[in-house]
Amino acid sequence: SSGINAEYGGDASRMCYVPSPLIQLPRTRLDLASKLAELGFLFRQVKLFIEQRLNEQSYGLIGQAFCSALTGELKEYYRLIAVMENQVHIWQRYYRHSNDIADIATI
């Protein structure tokens, strides 16, 4: 296992993400991390499903169309994640800048 499973003890044999009881985080951060990890876990499950069936002729045209539609949804999900990540970076820069201004104002 790699990624979140290796770092935080997720159980890939289950059909959901279960964080390791060894993680030492405040409850609110653990809840947030678990929700984000669950999204990544589900994303991987859908991607694996698509990879296994997209070129499988026995899955039929409707199945291939379904996989194609899911691929489009995953691309939209990637875009959403990129936008959200960009917003986090903007917020972090603003927050640091605001703290710098507050530090200067107190001098």
Side-chain angles (χ1 to χ4, degrees):
S1 254
S2 63
I4 195 81
N5 289 341
E7 287 184 44
Y8 299 107
D11 185 353
S13 67
R14 295 185 176 196
M15 291 307 294
C16 64
Y17 181 80
V18 179
S20 169
L22 301 176
I23 298 173
Q24 299 296 316
L25 287 174
R27 185 71 188 156
T28 54
R29 288 192 182 192
L30 183 59
D31 289 345
L32 179 60
S34 293
K35 288 176 185 176
L36 292 173
E38 183 77 19
L39 289 174
F41 179 83
L42 293 172
F43 178 88
R44 270 199 319 245
Q45 293 294 335
V46 171
K47 188 174 179 185
L48 181 62
F49 174 86
I50 292 168
E51 289 171 355
Q52 290 174 344
R53 290 172 180 81
L54 188 59
N55 296 318
E56 195 176 295
Q57 289 183 350
S58 64
Y59 200 54
L61 291 176
I62 293 175
Q64 289 177 354
F66 177 67
C67 287
S68 180
L70 282 176
T71 299
E73 292 298 320
L74 290 182
K75 286 179 184 178
E76 287 298 316
Y77 179 75
Y78 267 141
R79 285 189 192 114
L80 173 64
I81 296 299
V83 168
M84 291 172 64
E85 184 176 23
N86 187 47
Q87 291 297 318
V88 167
H89 290 300
I90 290 170
W91 179 82
Q92 286 174 336
R93 278 182 281 180
Y94 172 78
Y95 184 72
R96 276 191 222 121
H97 179 69
S98 296
N99 282 343
D100 291 343
I101 291 171
D103 289 343
I104 291 170
T106 59
I107 293 178

